[in-house]
Amino acid sequence: MAVNTRTPLIAGNWKMNLDHLQAVAFVQKLHWTLKDAKHDGGSVEVALFPPFTDLRTVQTLLDADKIPFALGAQDISSHDSGAYTGEVSGAFLAKLDNRYVIIGHSERREYHAETDEVVAAKVQAALKHGLAPVICVGETLEQREESGPTAVSVAQLEVALEGVPSNADIVVAYEPVWAIGTGQVASPEQAQEVCAALRGVITDKLGEDAAARTRVLYGGSVKAANIASFMREPDVDGALVGGASLVVDEFAAIIRYQKHVGV
Ligand code: PEP
């Protein structure tokens, strides 16, 4: 079995929370909390996904204070520029030093009718502008009951990876819809089963090197109390965290999960 050299990624999706002033206070407090706790910043990558209106402010703060968190956006336009009112292009995001962009979150699929084809177009737009897409997939409870635990996520990822080159820098997040913001967390075994299937899709589509290198995250009601159990699974390389990423002490404890289990 190939040795796992993937750096764990803990990603905080703020959704539509924290304005740009609250964002500054939050990032500073998170940084101080991790510094006080002697988080070395090297063993786990931390990425923050604020609303669009916060990105410039957070980027400036990370830069000025040399805070080692990566920055990401919560969405991207599939277009580069032009008459698309309300949209934000990958070119703009790249100029603000964003490294990541979340694509295909279930809230966008549900509330903004984003299809698998739209997700695939946004993945292409991200890669075109040097952004690493965090491709979200996951099933509803009904879909799990109807077609089993892996079928929906596998099918969604297959479409999203159409035309993606084998050397692309991507992240995949398995987010069962029934576990997002519900407190009804998947078991580590359930997360592992789907994350392993998704790594299989990456192998099929992009090859073994890409599968060995690509981080596959679990997301859905992750908290400080359960993060370590997910991180013990061989195909879970980190977490996409919603609600708990808005509470400094809780998010810092998730980032420091290794300290709790002494690994
Ligand atoms: C999310 O929205 O990506 C998410 C995982 O939310 P929560 O952690 O609140 O379930």
Side-chain angles (χ1 to χ4, degrees), residues 137-141 144 149 153 173-195 217-223 225-231 233 236 238-240:
V137 296
E139 81 289 356
T140 64
L141 212 45
R144 175 171 270 260
S153 298
Y174 168 51
E175 296 214 305
V177 179
W178 47 272
I180 296 178
T182 59
Q184 194 192 338
V185 68
S187 70
E189 296 74 22
Q190 286 174 319
Q192 166 59 23
E193 182 180 16
V194 183
C195 289
L217 314 182
Y218 166 74
S221 298
V222 168
K223 309 236 172 328
N226 59 31
I227 179 69
S229 65
F230 290 109
M231 297 306 289
E233 297 296 335
V236 179
L240 182 53

Short mmCIF file of all heavy atoms in Angstrom, two decimals, residues 137-141 144 149 153 173-195 217-223 225-231 233 236 238-240:
data_model
loop_
_atom_site.label_atom_id
_atom_site.label_comp_id
_atom_site.label_asym_id
_atom_site.label_seq_id
_atom_site.Cartn_x
_atom_site.Cartn_y
_atom_site.Cartn_z
N VAL A 137 -19.36 16.69 -2.91
CA VAL A 137 -20.33 15.70 -3.38
C VAL A 137 -20.99 15.08 -2.15
O VAL A 137 -20.45 15.16 -1.04
CB VAL A 137 -19.64 14.59 -4.22
CG1 VAL A 137 -19.02 15.16 -5.48
CG2 VAL A 137 -18.59 13.84 -3.40
N GLY A 138 -22.14 14.48 -2.36
CA GLY A 138 -22.79 13.82 -1.22
C GLY A 138 -24.26 13.56 -1.50
O GLY A 138 -24.87 14.23 -2.33
N GLU A 139 -24.79 12.60 -0.78
CA GLU A 139 -26.15 12.13 -1.04
C GLU A 139 -27.12 12.59 0.04
O GLU A 139 -26.73 12.85 1.17
CB GLU A 139 -26.16 10.59 -1.12
CG GLU A 139 -26.17 9.85 0.21
CD GLU A 139 -24.88 9.93 1.01
OE1 GLU A 139 -23.89 10.51 0.53
OE2 GLU A 139 -24.87 9.43 2.15
N THR A 140 -28.39 12.69 -0.35
CA THR A 140 -29.44 12.91 0.65
C THR A 140 -29.76 11.57 1.30
O THR A 140 -29.34 10.50 0.81
CB THR A 140 -30.72 13.45 -0.01
OG1 THR A 140 -31.23 12.45 -0.91
CG2 THR A 140 -30.48 14.75 -0.76
N LEU A 141 -30.53 11.63 2.36
CA LEU A 141 -30.91 10.38 3.05
C LEU A 141 -31.72 9.47 2.12
O LEU A 141 -31.49 8.25 2.06
CB LEU A 141 -31.73 10.74 4.29
CG LEU A 141 -31.61 9.81 5.49
CD1 LEU A 141 -30.15 9.45 5.78
CD2 LEU A 141 -32.23 10.47 6.72
N ARG A 144 -29.47 7.79 -0.30
CA ARG A 144 -28.69 6.72 0.36
C ARG A 144 -29.55 5.47 0.49
O ARG A 144 -29.08 4.36 0.22
CB ARG A 144 -28.22 7.22 1.73
CG ARG A 144 -27.51 6.18 2.57
CD ARG A 144 -26.87 6.78 3.81
NE ARG A 144 -25.50 7.20 3.56
CZ ARG A 144 -24.41 6.51 3.89
NH1 ARG A 144 -24.52 5.37 4.51
NH2 ARG A 144 -23.20 6.96 3.62
N PRO A 149 -24.75 3.86 -0.26
CA PRO A 149 -23.96 4.97 0.27
C PRO A 149 -23.04 5.68 -0.72
O PRO A 149 -22.73 6.86 -0.54
CB PRO A 149 -23.11 4.31 1.37
CG PRO A 149 -23.09 2.86 1.04
CD PRO A 149 -24.35 2.56 0.30
N SER A 153 -22.43 10.07 -4.78
CA SER A 153 -21.16 10.81 -4.70
C SER A 153 -20.23 10.43 -5.84
O SER A 153 -19.57 11.29 -6.44
CB SER A 153 -20.47 10.53 -3.36
OG SER A 153 -21.28 10.98 -2.30
N ALA A 173 -14.46 16.80 -1.34
CA ALA A 173 -15.09 16.76 -0.01
C ALA A 173 -16.36 15.92 -0.08
O ALA A 173 -17.28 16.24 -0.84
CB ALA A 173 -15.40 18.17 0.47
N TYR A 174 -16.37 14.87 0.73
CA TYR A 174 -17.60 14.08 0.85
C TYR A 174 -18.45 14.69 1.95
O TYR A 174 -18.06 14.71 3.12
CB TYR A 174 -17.28 12.62 1.20
CG TYR A 174 -18.53 11.85 1.61
CD1 TYR A 174 -19.68 11.88 0.81
CD2 TYR A 174 -18.58 11.13 2.81
CE1 TYR A 174 -20.83 11.21 1.20
CE2 TYR A 174 -19.73 10.46 3.19
CZ TYR A 174 -20.85 10.50 2.39
OH TYR A 174 -22.00 9.85 2.77
N GLU A 175 -19.60 15.24 1.55
CA GLU A 175 -20.49 15.89 2.51
C GLU A 175 -21.90 15.31 2.37
O GLU A 175 -22.70 15.80 1.55
CB GLU A 175 -20.53 17.39 2.23
CG GLU A 175 -19.21 18.08 2.45
CD GLU A 175 -19.42 19.48 2.99
OE1 GLU A 175 -20.13 20.27 2.37
OE2 GLU A 175 -18.88 19.76 4.07
N PRO A 176 -22.20 14.27 3.14
CA PRO A 176 -23.57 13.74 3.08
C PRO A 176 -24.56 14.83 3.48
O PRO A 176 -24.39 15.47 4.53
CB PRO A 176 -23.56 12.59 4.08
CG PRO A 176 -22.34 12.77 4.93
CD PRO A 176 -21.38 13.59 4.15
N VAL A 177 -25.55 15.06 2.64
CA VAL A 177 -26.47 16.19 2.86
C VAL A 177 -27.16 16.04 4.21
O VAL A 177 -27.39 17.03 4.92
CB VAL A 177 -27.50 16.27 1.71
CG1 VAL A 177 -28.48 17.40 1.93
CG2 VAL A 177 -26.78 16.45 0.37
N TRP A 178 -27.46 14.82 4.60
CA TRP A 178 -28.16 14.56 5.86
C TRP A 178 -27.31 14.88 7.09
O TRP A 178 -27.84 14.92 8.20
CB TRP A 178 -28.66 13.10 5.90
CG TRP A 178 -27.63 12.08 5.50
CD1 TRP A 178 -27.38 11.63 4.23
CD2 TRP A 178 -26.70 11.40 6.35
NE1 TRP A 178 -26.36 10.70 4.24
CE2 TRP A 178 -25.94 10.54 5.52
CE3 TRP A 178 -26.45 11.42 7.73
CZ2 TRP A 178 -24.92 9.72 6.03
CZ3 TRP A 178 -25.45 10.60 8.23
CH2 TRP A 178 -24.70 9.77 7.39
N ALA A 179 -26.02 15.11 6.89
CA ALA A 179 -25.15 15.38 8.04
C ALA A 179 -24.75 16.85 8.13
O ALA A 179 -24.12 17.27 9.10
CB ALA A 179 -23.89 14.51 7.95
N ILE A 180 -25.13 17.66 7.12
CA ILE A 180 -24.68 19.06 7.11
C ILE A 180 -25.58 19.92 7.98
O ILE A 180 -26.78 20.05 7.71
CB ILE A 180 -24.64 19.61 5.67
CG1 ILE A 180 -23.60 18.83 4.85
CG2 ILE A 180 -24.31 21.09 5.67
CD1 ILE A 180 -23.51 19.27 3.41
N GLY A 181 -24.98 20.47 9.01
CA GLY A 181 -25.70 21.39 9.89
C GLY A 181 -26.82 20.75 10.68
O GLY A 181 -27.67 21.44 11.24
N THR A 182 -26.83 19.42 10.74
CA THR A 182 -27.93 18.72 11.41
C THR A 182 -27.52 18.16 12.77
O THR A 182 -28.38 17.77 13.55
CB THR A 182 -28.40 17.53 10.55
OG1 THR A 182 -27.28 16.65 10.36
CG2 THR A 182 -28.93 17.99 9.22
N GLY A 183 -26.21 18.04 13.00
CA GLY A 183 -25.75 17.37 14.22
C GLY A 183 -25.79 15.86 14.06
O GLY A 183 -25.33 15.12 14.92
N GLN A 184 -26.34 15.41 12.92
CA GLN A 184 -26.42 13.96 12.67
C GLN A 184 -25.18 13.55 11.88
O GLN A 184 -25.20 13.46 10.65
CB GLN A 184 -27.69 13.66 11.86
CG GLN A 184 -28.05 12.18 11.85
CD GLN A 184 -29.13 11.89 10.81
OE1 GLN A 184 -29.88 12.79 10.41
NE2 GLN A 184 -29.20 10.65 10.37
N VAL A 185 -24.11 13.30 12.60
CA VAL A 185 -22.82 13.08 11.95
C VAL A 185 -22.74 11.66 11.38
O VAL A 185 -23.32 10.73 11.93
CB VAL A 185 -21.70 13.36 12.99
CG1 VAL A 185 -21.68 12.34 14.12
CG2 VAL A 185 -20.34 13.48 12.34
N ALA A 186 -22.02 11.52 10.25
CA ALA A 186 -21.77 10.18 9.71
C ALA A 186 -20.81 9.46 10.66
O ALA A 186 -20.05 10.09 11.39
CB ALA A 186 -21.14 10.28 8.33
N SER A 187 -20.83 8.15 10.64
CA SER A 187 -19.84 7.43 11.45
C SER A 187 -18.51 7.46 10.69
O SER A 187 -18.50 7.63 9.45
CB SER A 187 -20.27 5.98 11.66
OG SER A 187 -20.19 5.27 10.44
N PRO A 188 -17.40 7.29 11.39
CA PRO A 188 -16.11 7.26 10.68
C PRO A 188 -16.09 6.18 9.61
O PRO A 188 -15.53 6.38 8.53
CB PRO A 188 -15.10 6.94 11.80
CG PRO A 188 -15.76 7.44 13.05
CD PRO A 188 -17.23 7.24 12.86
N GLU A 189 -16.74 5.05 9.87
CA GLU A 189 -16.76 3.96 8.88
C GLU A 189 -17.56 4.37 7.64
O GLU A 189 -17.18 4.06 6.51
CB GLU A 189 -17.39 2.69 9.48
CG GLU A 189 -16.61 2.07 10.64
CD GLU A 189 -16.73 2.85 11.96
OE1 GLU A 189 -17.70 3.64 12.12
OE2 GLU A 189 -15.83 2.70 12.81
N GLN A 190 -18.68 5.07 7.86
CA GLN A 190 -19.46 5.55 6.70
C GLN A 190 -18.64 6.54 5.88
O GLN A 190 -18.64 6.51 4.65
CB GLN A 190 -20.75 6.22 7.17
CG GLN A 190 -21.80 5.25 7.68
CD GLN A 190 -23.00 5.96 8.28
OE1 GLN A 190 -22.87 6.96 9.00
NE2 GLN A 190 -24.19 5.45 8.00
N ALA A 191 -17.95 7.45 6.57
CA ALA A 191 -17.12 8.43 5.86
C ALA A 191 -16.01 7.73 5.09
O ALA A 191 -15.77 8.03 3.91
CB ALA A 191 -16.54 9.43 6.86
N GLN A 192 -15.37 6.78 5.73
CA GLN A 192 -14.28 6.05 5.07
C GLN A 192 -14.77 5.33 3.82
O GLN A 192 -14.12 5.37 2.77
CB GLN A 192 -13.65 5.05 6.07
CG GLN A 192 -12.74 3.98 5.45
CD GLN A 192 -11.55 4.54 4.69
OE1 GLN A 192 -11.11 5.68 4.94
NE2 GLN A 192 -11.02 3.77 3.73
N GLU A 193 -15.92 4.69 3.92
CA GLU A 193 -16.44 3.92 2.77
C GLU A 193 -16.60 4.82 1.54
O GLU A 193 -16.16 4.47 0.44
CB GLU A 193 -17.79 3.28 3.14
CG GLU A 193 -18.35 2.44 2.03
CD GLU A 193 -19.69 1.80 2.38
OE1 GLU A 193 -20.34 2.24 3.36
OE2 GLU A 193 -20.09 0.86 1.66
N VAL A 194 -17.20 6.00 1.74
CA VAL A 194 -17.43 6.86 0.58
C VAL A 194 -16.12 7.53 0.15
O VAL A 194 -15.85 7.63 -1.06
CB VAL A 194 -18.54 7.91 0.87
CG1 VAL A 194 -18.81 8.74 -0.38
CG2 VAL A 194 -19.82 7.21 1.33
N CYS A 195 -15.31 7.96 1.11
CA CYS A 195 -14.04 8.61 0.72
C CYS A 195 -13.16 7.64 -0.07
O CYS A 195 -12.50 8.04 -1.04
CB CYS A 195 -13.30 9.14 1.96
SG CYS A 195 -14.13 10.57 2.69
N LEU A 217 -11.76 15.01 1.83
CA LEU A 217 -12.21 15.47 3.15
C LEU A 217 -13.57 14.88 3.48
O LEU A 217 -14.34 14.53 2.59
CB LEU A 217 -12.33 17.00 3.16
CG LEU A 217 -11.20 17.83 2.57
CD1 LEU A 217 -11.51 19.33 2.74
CD2 LEU A 217 -9.87 17.50 3.21
N TYR A 218 -13.86 14.84 4.77
CA TYR A 218 -15.24 14.56 5.20
C TYR A 218 -15.82 15.86 5.73
O TYR A 218 -15.13 16.64 6.40
CB TYR A 218 -15.27 13.49 6.32
CG TYR A 218 -16.64 13.48 6.97
CD1 TYR A 218 -17.73 12.92 6.31
CD2 TYR A 218 -16.86 14.11 8.20
CE1 TYR A 218 -19.01 12.98 6.85
CE2 TYR A 218 -18.12 14.17 8.76
CZ TYR A 218 -19.19 13.61 8.08
OH TYR A 218 -20.45 13.68 8.61
N GLY A 219 -17.10 16.10 5.47
CA GLY A 219 -17.78 17.27 6.03
C GLY A 219 -19.20 16.91 6.43
O GLY A 219 -19.89 16.17 5.71
N GLY A 220 -19.62 17.44 7.56
CA GLY A 220 -20.98 17.20 8.05
C GLY A 220 -20.96 17.05 9.56
O GLY A 220 -20.61 15.99 10.07
N SER A 221 -21.27 18.18 10.25
CA SER A 221 -21.34 18.18 11.71
C SER A 221 -20.03 17.75 12.37
O SER A 221 -20.04 17.09 13.42
CB SER A 221 -22.52 17.33 12.19
OG SER A 221 -23.74 17.87 11.71
N VAL A 222 -18.90 18.14 11.77
CA VAL A 222 -17.60 17.88 12.41
C VAL A 222 -17.43 18.82 13.59
O VAL A 222 -17.73 20.01 13.51
CB VAL A 222 -16.44 18.06 11.40
CG1 VAL A 222 -15.10 18.07 12.11
CG2 VAL A 222 -16.48 16.96 10.35
N LYS A 223 -16.94 18.27 14.68
CA LYS A 223 -16.70 19.04 15.91
C LYS A 223 -15.37 18.60 16.51
O LYS A 223 -14.81 17.59 16.08
CB LYS A 223 -17.79 18.74 16.94
CG LYS A 223 -19.21 18.87 16.44
CD LYS A 223 -19.99 19.84 17.29
CE LYS A 223 -21.36 20.18 16.77
NZ LYS A 223 -21.59 20.23 15.36
N ALA A 225 -15.02 17.17 19.21
CA ALA A 225 -15.22 15.88 19.88
C ALA A 225 -15.18 14.69 18.90
O ALA A 225 -14.98 13.56 19.34
CB ALA A 225 -16.57 15.89 20.61
N ASN A 226 -15.38 14.95 17.60
CA ASN A 226 -15.40 13.78 16.69
C ASN A 226 -14.32 13.82 15.60
O ASN A 226 -14.15 12.83 14.87
CB ASN A 226 -16.79 13.60 16.05
CG ASN A 226 -17.25 14.83 15.26
OD1 ASN A 226 -16.44 15.55 14.68
ND2 ASN A 226 -18.57 15.05 15.21
N ILE A 227 -13.57 14.93 15.49
CA ILE A 227 -12.61 15.03 14.38
C ILE A 227 -11.58 13.90 14.40
O ILE A 227 -11.26 13.31 13.35
CB ILE A 227 -11.92 16.42 14.35
CG1 ILE A 227 -10.90 16.54 13.21
CG2 ILE A 227 -11.27 16.78 15.66
CD1 ILE A 227 -11.46 16.57 11.85
N ALA A 228 -11.06 13.57 15.57
CA ALA A 228 -9.99 12.56 15.62
C ALA A 228 -10.47 11.21 15.09
O ALA A 228 -9.71 10.49 14.43
CB ALA A 228 -9.48 12.42 17.05
N SER A 229 -11.73 10.89 15.34
CA SER A 229 -12.23 9.59 14.87
C SER A 229 -12.26 9.53 13.35
O SER A 229 -12.01 8.48 12.75
CB SER A 229 -13.62 9.30 15.46
OG SER A 229 -14.56 10.23 14.97
N PHE A 230 -12.54 10.66 12.69
CA PHE A 230 -12.50 10.67 11.22
C PHE A 230 -11.07 10.61 10.71
O PHE A 230 -10.77 9.93 9.73
CB PHE A 230 -13.18 11.93 10.68
CG PHE A 230 -14.67 11.92 10.88
CD1 PHE A 230 -15.27 12.77 11.81
CD2 PHE A 230 -15.47 11.03 10.18
CE1 PHE A 230 -16.63 12.74 12.03
CE2 PHE A 230 -16.85 11.00 10.38
CZ PHE A 230 -17.42 11.84 11.31
N MET A 231 -10.18 11.34 11.40
CA MET A 231 -8.81 11.43 10.90
C MET A 231 -8.04 10.11 11.04
O MET A 231 -7.00 9.95 10.44
CB MET A 231 -8.07 12.57 11.62
CG MET A 231 -8.66 13.95 11.35
SD MET A 231 -8.82 14.35 9.60
CE MET A 231 -7.10 14.59 9.16
N GLU A 233 -9.21 7.40 9.89
CA GLU A 233 -9.57 6.60 8.72
C GLU A 233 -8.56 6.85 7.59
O GLU A 233 -8.19 8.00 7.34
CB GLU A 233 -10.99 6.95 8.24
CG GLU A 233 -12.08 6.66 9.26
CD GLU A 233 -12.21 5.15 9.56
OE1 GLU A 233 -11.83 4.33 8.71
OE2 GLU A 233 -12.69 4.84 10.67
N VAL A 236 -9.59 9.47 4.78
CA VAL A 236 -10.09 10.79 5.19
C VAL A 236 -8.87 11.66 5.51
O VAL A 236 -8.13 11.38 6.44
CB VAL A 236 -11.02 10.69 6.43
CG1 VAL A 236 -11.50 12.08 6.85
CG2 VAL A 236 -12.21 9.78 6.14
N GLY A 238 -8.92 15.06 6.04
CA GLY A 238 -9.22 16.34 6.65
C GLY A 238 -10.71 16.54 6.71
O GLY A 238 -11.49 15.60 6.48
N ALA A 239 -11.10 17.78 7.00
CA ALA A 239 -12.53 18.05 7.18
C ALA A 239 -12.90 19.40 6.60
O ALA A 239 -12.11 20.35 6.64
CB ALA A 239 -12.87 18.02 8.67
N LEU A 240 -14.11 19.44 6.04
CA LEU A 240 -14.74 20.71 5.67
C LEU A 240 -15.76 20.99 6.77
O LEU A 240 -16.68 20.21 6.98
CB LEU A 240 -15.40 20.59 4.29
CG LEU A 240 -16.06 21.85 3.72
CD1 LEU A 240 -15.10 23.04 3.72
CD2 LEU A 240 -16.53 21.61 2.29
#
